[in-house]
Amino acid sequence: MTTPTTSNRVTDTDHGHHDVRRPHRHGDETKPSWKTTELAVYLLSVIGVLIASNAVGDGAADNGGDYFAADKAWWYITLLTIGYLISRGLAKSGSRTPDNDPRTGR
């Protein structure tokens, strides 16, 4: 009876790697907000609205009217803030975060 011989030789297709299943980890949930371009765009937009509100006057009318009053500026800033919050919420909604809470049993 012939005994099969075993070899410790590494073949071209093996390369010495073992079939070890490693858990696939997804990094952090998303970038922190201060690292995103959307925060920079939001802040620049708010600054732009404030500058425009201050710079725009009543034109040549000299009647004391203001085309871009403070209430309009703050309304636009409020709209920008709502848009920014929605965009951050959408960015975070599609990401996964590892659940390390032992109470959930996962």
Side-chain angles (χ1 to χ4, degrees):
M1 179 166 193
T2 308
T3 332
T5 59
T6 58
S7 171
N8 290 334
R9 195 172 58 128
V10 176
T11 62
D12 287 341
T13 58
D14 188 15
H15 298 293
H17 296 286
H18 299 287
D19 187 21
V20 177
R21 303 278 180 194
R22 294 182 187 160
H24 182 21
R25 299 191 187 257
H26 302 279
D28 290 334
E29 125 179 9
T30 56
K31 285 184 189 178
S33 63
W34 54 271
K35 287 186 175 181
T36 62
T37 55
E38 56 193 19
L39 178 66
V41 169
Y42 167 72
L43 291 175
L44 289 174
S45 299
V46 168
I47 291 168
V49 167
L50 292 173
I51 290 172
S53 174
N54 190 32
V56 173
D58 62 353
D62 261 344
N63 61 5
D66 192 2
Y67 293 128
F68 195 16
D71 61 335
K72 279 186 186 176
W74 287 109
W75 173 248
Y76 289 130
I77 291 172
T78 301
L79 293 178
L80 286 169
T81 303
I82 290 170
Y84 174 73
L85 292 175
I86 289 172
S87 72
R88 286 302 296 164
L90 289 174
K92 289 184 173 279
S93 70
S95 62
R96 296 183 184 180
T97 178
D99 188 7
N100 294 327
D101 189 358
R103 297 174 291 172
T104 59
R106 290 186 188 175

